[in-house]
Amino acid sequence: PPPAQQNVLAQTSLDTPATDEPSEEPAAKRIKVDEPLTNTSNPPVVPIPAAPLQPFDVTDTIPAAQVLPLPPQQTQPEILPEDDFIATLPNPDAVPITIQIPDDPSNANWNFNGQTIEFTLAATSKIKQVKEKLVGELGGMPLNKMQLKHPVTGFMNKDGLSLGYFNVGPGVVIDLVPKIRGGRK
């Protein structure tokens, strides 16, 4: 009798599990890929060839009186590499520098009266040397509380870089901004 039962189990299909023994695989829950899906409700989609695109000219659709000119684009002055900028200066060893001091009565001990300070330095002078020159003018303001702001390149935060690196030349006004600790209150 045992061989006959094995033949019966071998003849059962894979879709129906045998009742005598538990099956090792669960019944399939997915659609069979072998059979093609037939959908008779929608006809097949036939692609329609597109017409060639024609160039579009604004003046064809809008009268010339209604076309507004584009506003002029603001161009940032080109920042030159340090050596190239120093080469453009007429006298790189004597560059006049103008620093605008803020008008801030809350920092009266640092002489923030809105004045401008002018002096001459070499284009290869470091930002730290500029700050050291300002200490005497500003009543002993510490170097680490000073921030110099260039009108084009922004804050000059690296004390080890030169004036030529930031393209500071004659006619450029640098703003002094005190560093303030803390965030919002």
Side-chain angles (χ1 to χ4, degrees), residues 15-80:
D15 292 338
T16 58
T19 56
D20 293 343
E21 294 181 20
S23 105
E24 294 179 16
E25 294 184 27
K29 294 183 180 179
R30 297 186 191 142
I31 300 173
K32 292 183 182 179
V33 181
D34 297 339
E35 299 175 11
L37 294 174
T38 56
N39 188 357
T40 59
S41 62
N42 293 333
V45 176
V46 177
I48 300 172
L53 295 175
Q54 299 296 326
F56 180 71
D57 188 9
V58 174
T59 58
D60 292 342
T61 57
I62 301 173
Q66 292 180 352
V67 176
L68 297 176
L70 293 176
Q73 292 185 1
Q74 296 177 356
T75 57
Q76 292 286 338
E78 182 179 344
I79 303 299
L80 298 173

Side-chain angles (χ1 to χ4, degrees), residues 146-163:
M146 294 182 195
Q147 282 184 319
L148 298 177
K149 185 177 180 184
H150 190 278
V152 176
T153 60
F155 283 102
M156 298 185 280
N157 291 331
K158 302 289 184 184
D159 287 347
L161 297 177
S162 71
L163 293 171

Side-chain angles (χ1 to χ4, degrees), residues 68-149:
L68 297 176
L70 293 176
Q73 292 185 1
Q74 296 177 356
T75 57
Q76 292 286 338
E78 182 179 344
I79 303 299
L80 298 173
E82 180 177 8
D83 294 335
D84 295 345
F85 178 76
I86 292 174
T88 63
L89 296 174
N91 186 4
D93 294 329
V95 178
I97 298 172
T98 304
I99 301 192
Q100 178 67 45
I101 308 300
D103 185 14
D104 187 5
S106 66
N107 289 323
N109 57 340
W110 287 341
N111 296 334
F112 283 0
N113 301 325
Q115 73 270 28
T116 58
I117 298 174
E118 296 179 3
F119 49 87
T120 303
L121 284 175
T124 55
S125 298
K126 306 294 181 197
I127 299 298
K128 185 172 185 177
Q129 293 171 329
V130 175
K131 290 180 179 181
E132 288 170 349
K133 280 213 170 229
L134 289 173
V135 168
E137 298 283 336
L138 297 178
M141 180 179 186
L143 295 179
N144 64 348
K145 299 291 183 189
M146 294 182 195
Q147 282 184 319
L148 298 177
K149 185 177 180 184

